[in-house]
Each structure stands twice: as C-alpha cells, then as structure tokens.
Amino acid sequence: MDETERVASYEEIELGQLATGLAAHLSRARRRGVKRLAARPAPAVSAGPRAVVATPQAPRHAAPEGPDERIRRLASAAGDLESLATLVAGCEACSLCQTRSQTVFGEGHPKARVMFVGEAPGFHEDRLGRPFVGDAGGMLDRIITKGMGLARGDLYIANILKCRPPENRDPSALEKTLCTGWLQRQIELVNPEVLIPLGRHAAGHLLQRDDSMGKMRARVHHLAGRKIVPTYHPAYLLRTPSAKKDCWKDIQRAMAEVDG
Ligand code: URA
C-alpha cells in the first residue's frame, strides 16, 4: 500500500457518502422534474431491500473495521443498483474523489447474464459518467453488436474502479482494494452467469492473481459459483489488431457458457 495515499477516516467516508449521495439523489430528482421533496421518516434498519441509508451497524465488540470492510458493509445495504449507485456517487474513500468529474458506476441490463468488467474510467467516461464510451468503448461496442449479435443494453458493463485515475495511470493496489466492495455488490445484484474481465488488470483482480493475460485467457475459470472468461482489453485490440481473433475465441467461449 502506498503510504502517501490518503485514506479517509470512517466518519469522513460516511459523511462524504451521505452528503454526495444526497446531492446526486437531488440532482437526479431535479432531472426527473421533481420540484419539492416531501419529508418522510428515515427508514428503519430493516426497511426492506430498497433502503439506501439503513446501513447495517458494525458488530459491537468486533475488531476495528478497515475502510475496505466498511465499504463492503455499506454496499451490502444497497438492495438495488440505483441505491448502490447513489452510495458510490458519494464515495470519498480514496484520493480519486478529488480529481474525478463524477463517478462511473456502470450500466446495462440489471439482470444481464454476461457482465464485462474493465479497469477504470478514462477521460471520456469521466466526462459522461458512462463506462466504455471512448475509442476502447467503440471497439467493445463492435464486439457486442457485430461479434455477439447483441445490443449494449442486453449486457452489463462495469469497471473495477468507479473513478478515473489521473492521466489514466494504472489503478493502485489501495484504490482496487477500497473499490472492490462496490463491484462485488454490483456483481451480486446483477448476478451474471459469466464475467468477462477485459485486460490484465481486471482479470488479475477478479481472479486474485498477478499473471500475464496469456496465462489467464483462453479458458473458463470457476470462482465463487461464477464463470470468469478473461479476454483482451479493447484498447489493446485497437493497438494490436492481430489479437482480435483470439478475443473472438474468448467471446465465443463465454457465450457457450451462457447457452450451456
Ligand atoms: N477502459 C476501461 O477499462 N474502462 C472504461 O470504462 C473505459 C476504458
């Protein structure tokens, strides 16, 4: 862990999340044409699956919670993707919150059978708040539409990190550790049969190993009841068109797992 990176205190994370989450909620409501929000009582902890603020309490006599554990606990309280996106929009757990324009939660079919997982938002994603909308996104679109014969909205697309690293640098170990709780809950809620990590960072993170793409791709991994079929990152395919045929084999492998 890079000691120069600042880890926010628990209180800062919680206050930041509440404040930014509330701001995001209000701005979404405004976009929907809502002019005035009527007050209603805060939901009880057992308020049901849609409660956002009813976060489970940390166990009373347990060892102090780390920031990553705290994020997992907050994420576990989100009963749907919209609630989770609101919590993510308020995340200030690492320094990326200071440089992002907005969080990039992910998008697609809420019950997709296949989920692509990239590394982190880039310049265009940070501006638009949507994953894979730059050049690499164009390549991913072609994989989905021309290769798989599907539309973007049939699948789910997310990233390991929900915020853009400055200058598109690689995500740090700390950023991945903190952000993984959001992704894990996102995966639980979408509940896809097959995960397709795009590139070495995403594949290594989901498979918890530090290996080359060559060693991780070209096979189906089974982890925690899910099938993981890694393939090349679309940005790599733009630089190395000769790798497209292998990517296509990976995609066919992934689709066979869904059909089977
Ligand atoms: N690269 C990624 O890994 N994710 C994006 O959303 C865009 C580019």
Side-chain angles (χ1 to χ4, degrees):
M1 183 182 297
D2 180 358
E3 293 302 328
T4 62
E5 284 178 273
R6 183 177 173 281
V7 181
S9 72
Y10 304 152
E11 291 74 20
E12 283 174 317
I13 292 173
E14 189 150 55
L15 277 175
Q17 266 162 342
L18 282 173
T20 321
L22 181 61
H25 179 76
L26 288 174
S27 123
R28 272 203 301 274
R30 238 175 264 126
R31 280 202 299 276
R32 287 201 305 268
V34 175
K35 293 214 171 62
R36 185 170 164 275
L37 292 172
R40 67 173 174 201
V45 171
S46 59
R50 292 188 68 87
V52 175
V53 288
T55 56
Q57 298 298 303
R60 281 236 166 136
H61 304 293
E65 221 181 14
D68 54 330
E69 292 166 320
R70 182 165 182 79
I71 287 175
R72 277 203 294 275
R73 183 165 59 78
L74 290 171
S76 73
D80 56 35
L81 289 167
E82 203 191 10
S83 309
L84 186 64
T86 301
L87 289 172
V88 168
C91 183
E92 296 187 345
C94 77
S95 60
L96 295 186
C97 69
Q98 289 156 21
T99 48
R100 73 184 178 214
S101 304
Q102 58 192 311
T103 52
V104 179
F105 179 67
E107 66 185 23
H109 196 292
K111 287 289 161 213
R113 300 175 77 186
V114 175
M115 180 163 169
F116 285 103
V117 181
E119 181 181 321
F123 175 83
H124 298 285
E125 290 76 20
D126 175 72
R127 287 286 174 278
L128 294 178
R130 296 180 55 209
F132 281 99
V133 288
D135 290 345
M139 173 60 78
L140 182 60
D141 284 349
R142 290 194 285 285
I143 292 172
I144 293 170
T145 53
K146 296 200 176 139
M148 303 169 92
L150 296 170
R152 234 176 119 104
D154 295 327
L155 307 158
Y156 201 89
I157 306 174
N159 280 302
I160 303 282
L161 295 195
K162 307 304 185 204
C163 298
R164 180 193 180 205
E167 312 302 327
N168 295 351
R169 63 159 170 73
D170 287 348
S172 74
L174 173 66
E175 288 155 2
K176 287 191 277 192
T177 301
L178 291 171
C179 221
T180 204
W182 301 130
L183 176 66
Q184 272 171 11
R185 184 68 183 140
Q186 202 169 19
I187 293 172
E188 275 170 21
L189 289 168
V190 177
N191 197 19
E193 288 158 53
V194 180
L195 288 164
I196 307 183
L198 299 167
R200 192 172 66 83
H201 286 284
H205 184 73
L206 289 185
L207 296 172
Q208 288 299 294
R209 53 193 265 198
D210 183 16
D211 241 330
S212 68
M213 207 49 218
K215 293 217 172 98
M216 291 187 281
R217 60 160 292 279
R219 52 171 287 211
V220 180
H221 303 259
H222 295 264
L223 206 72
R226 264 179 242 285
K227 295 157 191 168
I228 303 182
V229 187
T231 195
Y232 293 114
H233 194 284
Y236 176 76
L237 297 177
L238 287 172
R239 295 193 302 272
T240 322
S242 59
K244 284 187 202 169
K245 60 181 184 315
D246 282 339
C247 170
W248 177 229
K249 286 186 202 155
D250 295 332
I251 296 296
Q252 284 174 311
R253 194 172 285 116
M255 287 171 77
E257 289 299 321
V258 175
D259 293 336

